[in-house]
Amino acid sequence: MWLREELRACIARQGQENGRDWIALSVADTGIGMTAEQMGKLFQEFSQASSKTASKYGGTGLGLVISRKFCQMMGGDITVASEPGKGSVFTVRLPGGGALS
């Protein structure tokens, strides 16, 4: 059985803040979504949104933690917005190379 889910990706230049350009990469899906409690666990080491997901798909719970640390090392961050039954949006926001022309 295939689920009908949609996945969208968008890369955008977000303008200038503190003299720097910002770039955002967003990935959105129309999947099962997450509760606030589940989102609170996403960026914790060795933690996953739910034990059901962990047992079904595997993983260590380190992927988002490592990705967020890399983004923060570059001066940016990863955020998530989600609603149960409606899907999730993950956004990576990073500073660009220079000022806007």
Short mmCIF file of all heavy atoms in Angstrom, two decimals, residues 47-99:
data_model
loop_
_atom_site.label_atom_id
_atom_site.label_comp_id
_atom_site.label_asym_id
_atom_site.label_seq_id
_atom_site.Cartn_x
_atom_site.Cartn_y
_atom_site.Cartn_z
N SER A 47 17.40 10.51 20.47
CA SER A 47 15.96 10.58 20.70
C SER A 47 15.27 10.65 19.35
O SER A 47 15.79 11.21 18.40
CB SER A 47 15.63 11.82 21.54
OG SER A 47 14.25 11.89 21.78
N GLN A 48 14.08 10.07 19.27
CA GLN A 48 13.28 10.16 18.06
C GLN A 48 11.88 10.61 18.44
O GLN A 48 11.47 10.50 19.60
CB GLN A 48 13.26 8.83 17.33
CG GLN A 48 14.62 8.46 16.77
CD GLN A 48 14.60 7.22 15.94
OE1 GLN A 48 13.67 6.44 15.99
NE2 GLN A 48 15.64 7.02 15.16
N ALA A 49 11.15 11.11 17.45
CA ALA A 49 9.82 11.66 17.71
C ALA A 49 8.90 10.64 18.37
O ALA A 49 8.12 10.98 19.25
CB ALA A 49 9.20 12.18 16.42
N SER A 50 8.98 9.38 17.95
CA SER A 50 8.13 8.36 18.58
C SER A 50 8.81 7.00 18.48
O SER A 50 9.57 6.73 17.54
CB SER A 50 6.75 8.31 17.92
OG SER A 50 6.69 7.39 16.88
N SER A 51 8.55 6.14 19.44
CA SER A 51 9.15 4.81 19.43
C SER A 51 8.60 3.97 18.28
O SER A 51 9.30 3.10 17.75
CB SER A 51 8.91 4.11 20.77
OG SER A 51 7.53 4.02 21.03
N LYS A 52 7.37 4.22 17.86
CA LYS A 52 6.81 3.49 16.71
C LYS A 52 7.62 3.78 15.45
O LYS A 52 7.94 2.88 14.68
CB LYS A 52 5.35 3.89 16.47
CG LYS A 52 4.37 3.29 17.42
CD LYS A 52 2.96 3.71 17.03
CE LYS A 52 1.95 3.12 17.99
NZ LYS A 52 0.59 3.50 17.63
N THR A 53 7.94 5.04 15.23
CA THR A 53 8.72 5.42 14.06
C THR A 53 10.10 4.80 14.14
O THR A 53 10.62 4.29 13.15
CB THR A 53 8.84 6.96 13.98
OG1 THR A 53 7.53 7.52 13.95
CG2 THR A 53 9.58 7.40 12.74
N ALA A 54 10.70 4.84 15.32
CA ALA A 54 12.05 4.29 15.49
C ALA A 54 12.09 2.80 15.18
O ALA A 54 12.99 2.32 14.50
CB ALA A 54 12.53 4.54 16.92
N SER A 55 11.09 2.06 15.65
CA SER A 55 11.10 0.62 15.41
C SER A 55 10.78 0.29 13.95
O SER A 55 11.27 -0.70 13.42
CB SER A 55 10.11 -0.09 16.34
OG SER A 55 8.79 0.31 16.07
N LYS A 56 10.01 1.13 13.29
CA LYS A 56 9.64 0.87 11.89
C LYS A 56 10.76 1.25 10.92
O LYS A 56 11.05 0.52 9.97
CB LYS A 56 8.37 1.64 11.53
CG LYS A 56 7.84 1.34 10.14
CD LYS A 56 6.50 1.99 9.90
CE LYS A 56 5.97 1.66 8.52
NZ LYS A 56 4.67 2.25 8.28
N TYR A 57 11.40 2.41 11.15
CA TYR A 57 12.37 2.91 10.19
C TYR A 57 13.81 2.84 10.67
O TYR A 57 14.73 3.06 9.89
CB TYR A 57 12.03 4.37 9.82
CG TYR A 57 10.68 4.50 9.18
CD1 TYR A 57 9.61 5.04 9.88
CD2 TYR A 57 10.47 4.08 7.88
CE1 TYR A 57 8.36 5.16 9.29
CE2 TYR A 57 9.23 4.19 7.28
CZ TYR A 57 8.18 4.74 7.99
OH TYR A 57 6.95 4.85 7.41
N GLY A 58 14.04 2.59 11.94
CA GLY A 58 15.40 2.51 12.46
C GLY A 58 16.01 3.87 12.67
O GLY A 58 15.33 4.89 12.73
N GLY A 59 17.33 3.89 12.79
CA GLY A 59 18.05 5.15 13.02
C GLY A 59 18.49 5.28 14.46
O GLY A 59 18.02 4.56 15.34
N THR A 60 19.42 6.20 14.69
CA THR A 60 19.98 6.38 16.03
C THR A 60 19.46 7.61 16.74
O THR A 60 19.69 7.78 17.92
CB THR A 60 21.51 6.51 15.95
OG1 THR A 60 21.83 7.65 15.15
CG2 THR A 60 22.14 5.27 15.37
N GLY A 61 18.81 8.51 16.01
CA GLY A 61 18.38 9.76 16.62
C GLY A 61 19.49 10.78 16.64
O GLY A 61 19.49 11.68 17.48
N LEU A 62 20.45 10.67 15.73
CA LEU A 62 21.56 11.62 15.69
C LEU A 62 21.56 12.51 14.44
O LEU A 62 22.21 13.54 14.42
CB LEU A 62 22.90 10.89 15.76
CG LEU A 62 23.26 10.31 17.11
CD1 LEU A 62 24.54 9.50 17.00
CD2 LEU A 62 23.43 11.41 18.14
N GLY A 63 20.84 12.14 13.40
CA GLY A 63 20.89 12.86 12.14
C GLY A 63 20.56 14.33 12.25
O GLY A 63 21.31 15.20 11.78
N LEU A 64 19.45 14.65 12.88
CA LEU A 64 19.06 16.06 13.01
C LEU A 64 19.96 16.81 14.00
O LEU A 64 20.22 18.00 13.81
CB LEU A 64 17.59 16.18 13.44
CG LEU A 64 16.58 15.92 12.33
CD1 LEU A 64 15.17 15.87 12.89
CD2 LEU A 64 16.69 16.96 11.23
N VAL A 65 20.44 16.11 15.02
CA VAL A 65 21.34 16.74 15.99
C VAL A 65 22.64 17.17 15.29
O VAL A 65 23.09 18.31 15.44
CB VAL A 65 21.66 15.77 17.15
CG1 VAL A 65 22.71 16.35 18.08
CG2 VAL A 65 20.41 15.42 17.92
N ILE A 66 23.22 16.26 14.52
CA ILE A 66 24.45 16.56 13.80
C ILE A 66 24.21 17.66 12.77
O ILE A 66 25.00 18.60 12.64
CB ILE A 66 25.02 15.29 13.14
CG1 ILE A 66 25.49 14.31 14.23
CG2 ILE A 66 26.15 15.62 12.17
CD1 ILE A 66 25.81 12.92 13.72
N SER A 67 23.12 17.57 12.02
CA SER A 67 22.80 18.58 11.01
C SER A 67 22.64 19.95 11.64
O SER A 67 23.14 20.96 11.11
CB SER A 67 21.53 18.19 10.25
OG SER A 67 21.71 16.98 9.56
N ARG A 68 21.96 20.01 12.78
CA ARG A 68 21.76 21.30 13.45
C ARG A 68 23.09 21.87 13.93
O ARG A 68 23.34 23.07 13.80
CB ARG A 68 20.79 21.14 14.62
CG ARG A 68 20.47 22.49 15.26
CD ARG A 68 19.46 22.35 16.36
NE ARG A 68 18.44 23.38 16.18
CZ ARG A 68 17.44 23.56 17.00
NH1 ARG A 68 17.26 22.75 18.03
NH2 ARG A 68 16.56 24.51 16.80
N LYS A 69 23.95 21.02 14.47
CA LYS A 69 25.26 21.50 14.94
C LYS A 69 26.08 22.06 13.79
O LYS A 69 26.74 23.09 13.93
CB LYS A 69 26.01 20.40 15.68
CG LYS A 69 25.42 20.11 17.04
CD LYS A 69 26.23 19.12 17.84
CE LYS A 69 25.46 18.70 19.07
NZ LYS A 69 25.99 19.19 20.29
N PHE A 70 26.06 21.39 12.62
CA PHE A 70 26.75 21.92 11.45
C PHE A 70 26.19 23.28 11.06
O PHE A 70 26.94 24.21 10.77
CB PHE A 70 26.65 20.96 10.26
CG PHE A 70 27.62 19.82 10.28
CD1 PHE A 70 27.23 18.56 9.87
CD2 PHE A 70 28.94 19.99 10.70
CE1 PHE A 70 28.12 17.50 9.88
CE2 PHE A 70 29.83 18.94 10.71
CZ PHE A 70 29.43 17.69 10.30
N CYS A 71 24.88 23.41 11.01
CA CYS A 71 24.26 24.69 10.67
C CYS A 71 24.66 25.77 11.65
O CYS A 71 24.99 26.90 11.25
CB CYS A 71 22.74 24.55 10.62
SG CYS A 71 22.15 23.65 9.19
N GLN A 72 24.65 25.45 12.94
CA GLN A 72 25.02 26.44 13.95
C GLN A 72 26.49 26.83 13.84
O GLN A 72 26.84 27.99 14.07
CB GLN A 72 24.68 25.91 15.34
CG GLN A 72 23.18 25.84 15.57
CD GLN A 72 22.78 25.14 16.85
OE1 GLN A 72 23.55 24.37 17.43
NE2 GLN A 72 21.55 25.39 17.29
N MET A 73 27.36 25.87 13.46
CA MET A 73 28.77 26.18 13.27
C MET A 73 28.96 27.18 12.12
O MET A 73 29.91 27.96 12.12
CB MET A 73 29.56 24.90 12.97
CG MET A 73 29.74 24.02 14.18
SD MET A 73 30.40 22.36 13.80
CE MET A 73 31.88 22.72 12.91
N MET A 74 28.05 27.17 11.16
CA MET A 74 28.12 28.09 10.03
C MET A 74 27.33 29.38 10.30
O MET A 74 27.17 30.21 9.40
CB MET A 74 27.59 27.40 8.77
CG MET A 74 28.49 26.27 8.31
SD MET A 74 27.94 25.52 6.76
CE MET A 74 26.63 24.45 7.34
N GLY A 75 26.78 29.52 11.50
CA GLY A 75 26.05 30.73 11.85
C GLY A 75 24.56 30.67 11.59
O GLY A 75 23.87 31.67 11.66
N GLY A 76 24.03 29.49 11.27
CA GLY A 76 22.61 29.33 10.97
C GLY A 76 21.92 28.40 11.94
O GLY A 76 22.37 28.21 13.06
N ASP A 77 20.84 27.77 11.48
CA ASP A 77 20.08 26.86 12.34
C ASP A 77 19.13 26.03 11.48
O ASP A 77 18.93 26.31 10.31
CB ASP A 77 19.28 27.64 13.38
CG ASP A 77 18.94 26.80 14.61
OD1 ASP A 77 19.32 25.62 14.67
OD2 ASP A 77 18.27 27.34 15.51
N ILE A 78 18.55 25.01 12.10
CA ILE A 78 17.47 24.22 11.52
C ILE A 78 16.28 24.35 12.45
O ILE A 78 16.43 24.23 13.68
CB ILE A 78 17.83 22.73 11.40
CG1 ILE A 78 18.97 22.51 10.43
CG2 ILE A 78 16.61 21.93 10.93
CD1 ILE A 78 19.38 21.05 10.28
N THR A 79 15.12 24.59 11.88
CA THR A 79 13.89 24.65 12.67
C THR A 79 12.85 23.72 12.07
O THR A 79 12.97 23.30 10.92
CB THR A 79 13.34 26.09 12.72
OG1 THR A 79 13.09 26.54 11.37
CG2 THR A 79 14.31 27.04 13.42
N VAL A 80 11.83 23.43 12.86
CA VAL A 80 10.73 22.58 12.38
C VAL A 80 9.41 23.19 12.81
O VAL A 80 9.30 23.77 13.89
CB VAL A 80 10.86 21.13 12.90
CG1 VAL A 80 10.81 21.06 14.41
CG2 VAL A 80 9.80 20.22 12.29
N ALA A 81 8.44 23.09 11.94
CA ALA A 81 7.05 23.44 12.25
C ALA A 81 6.21 22.26 11.79
O ALA A 81 6.47 21.68 10.73
CB ALA A 81 6.64 24.71 11.51
N SER A 82 5.25 21.86 12.60
CA SER A 82 4.46 20.69 12.24
C SER A 82 3.10 20.73 12.92
O SER A 82 2.93 21.38 13.95
CB SER A 82 5.21 19.42 12.67
OG SER A 82 4.55 18.27 12.20
N GLU A 83 2.18 20.01 12.31
CA GLU A 83 0.86 19.87 12.87
C GLU A 83 0.39 18.43 12.63
O GLU A 83 0.48 17.94 11.49
CB GLU A 83 -0.10 20.85 12.19
CG GLU A 83 -1.43 20.96 12.88
CD GLU A 83 -2.29 22.06 12.26
OE1 GLU A 83 -1.74 23.02 11.72
OE2 GLU A 83 -3.52 21.91 12.33
N PRO A 84 -0.05 17.74 13.69
CA PRO A 84 -0.48 16.35 13.51
C PRO A 84 -1.54 16.23 12.41
O PRO A 84 -2.47 17.03 12.33
CB PRO A 84 -1.07 15.97 14.88
CG PRO A 84 -0.38 16.88 15.84
CD PRO A 84 -0.18 18.17 15.09
N GLY A 85 -1.34 15.25 11.54
CA GLY A 85 -2.28 15.00 10.46
C GLY A 85 -2.12 15.90 9.25
O GLY A 85 -2.80 15.73 8.24
N LYS A 86 -1.23 16.89 9.33
CA LYS A 86 -1.07 17.83 8.22
C LYS A 86 0.33 17.87 7.64
O LYS A 86 0.53 18.38 6.55
CB LYS A 86 -1.48 19.23 8.65
CG LYS A 86 -2.96 19.32 8.97
CD LYS A 86 -3.41 20.73 9.03
CE LYS A 86 -4.93 20.76 9.24
NZ LYS A 86 -5.43 22.11 9.26
N GLY A 87 1.33 17.38 8.35
CA GLY A 87 2.68 17.37 7.82
C GLY A 87 3.64 18.24 8.60
O GLY A 87 3.30 18.80 9.65
N SER A 88 4.86 18.34 8.06
CA SER A 88 5.94 19.06 8.73
C SER A 88 6.72 19.90 7.72
O SER A 88 6.76 19.57 6.54
CB SER A 88 6.91 18.08 9.38
OG SER A 88 6.24 17.24 10.29
N VAL A 89 7.35 20.96 8.22
CA VAL A 89 8.24 21.79 7.42
C VAL A 89 9.55 21.94 8.19
O VAL A 89 9.55 22.42 9.32
CB VAL A 89 7.66 23.19 7.14
CG1 VAL A 89 8.64 24.02 6.31
CG2 VAL A 89 6.32 23.10 6.46
N PHE A 90 10.64 21.48 7.58
CA PHE A 90 11.97 21.67 8.15
C PHE A 90 12.64 22.78 7.35
O PHE A 90 12.63 22.76 6.12
CB PHE A 90 12.79 20.38 8.04
CG PHE A 90 12.35 19.33 9.01
CD1 PHE A 90 11.32 18.46 8.70
CD2 PHE A 90 12.97 19.21 10.24
CE1 PHE A 90 10.91 17.49 9.59
CE2 PHE A 90 12.57 18.23 11.15
CZ PHE A 90 11.54 17.38 10.82
N THR A 91 13.24 23.74 8.05
CA THR A 91 13.90 24.86 7.39
C THR A 91 15.34 24.99 7.87
O THR A 91 15.59 25.06 9.08
CB THR A 91 13.15 26.18 7.65
OG1 THR A 91 11.81 26.05 7.17
CG2 THR A 91 13.82 27.35 6.94
N VAL A 92 16.26 24.98 6.92
CA VAL A 92 17.67 25.25 7.19
C VAL A 92 17.91 26.70 6.76
O VAL A 92 17.60 27.07 5.63
CB VAL A 92 18.59 24.31 6.38
CG1 VAL A 92 20.06 24.73 6.53
CG2 VAL A 92 18.39 22.87 6.79
N ARG A 93 18.43 27.49 7.67
CA ARG A 93 18.69 28.90 7.38
C ARG A 93 20.17 29.17 7.62
O ARG A 93 20.68 28.91 8.71
CB ARG A 93 17.83 29.78 8.29
CG ARG A 93 17.81 31.22 7.92
CD ARG A 93 16.72 31.97 8.66
NE ARG A 93 16.69 33.35 8.27
CZ ARG A 93 17.30 34.33 8.95
NH1 ARG A 93 17.94 34.06 10.06
NH2 ARG A 93 17.24 35.57 8.51
N LEU A 94 20.86 29.65 6.57
CA LEU A 94 22.30 29.88 6.65
C LEU A 94 22.66 31.25 6.12
O LEU A 94 22.02 31.74 5.18
CB LEU A 94 23.05 28.82 5.82
CG LEU A 94 22.92 27.39 6.27
CD1 LEU A 94 23.50 26.46 5.22
CD2 LEU A 94 23.59 27.17 7.61
N PRO A 95 23.72 31.86 6.68
CA PRO A 95 24.16 33.14 6.13
C PRO A 95 24.82 32.92 4.77
O PRO A 95 25.49 31.91 4.55
CB PRO A 95 25.18 33.65 7.16
CG PRO A 95 25.62 32.43 7.91
CD PRO A 95 24.48 31.45 7.84
N GLY A 96 24.60 33.89 3.87
CA GLY A 96 25.22 33.83 2.55
C GLY A 96 26.62 34.41 2.60
O GLY A 96 27.15 34.77 3.66
N GLY A 97 27.21 34.54 1.45
CA GLY A 97 28.62 34.96 1.36
C GLY A 97 28.87 36.43 1.53
O GLY A 97 29.96 36.83 1.89
N GLY A 98 27.92 37.30 1.26
CA GLY A 98 28.22 38.73 1.33
C GLY A 98 26.95 39.57 1.35
O GLY A 98 25.84 39.04 1.42
N ALA A 99 27.13 40.86 1.29
CA ALA A 99 26.00 41.79 1.32
C ALA A 99 25.26 41.76 0.00
O ALA A 99 25.82 41.43 -1.05
CB ALA A 99 26.50 43.20 1.62
#
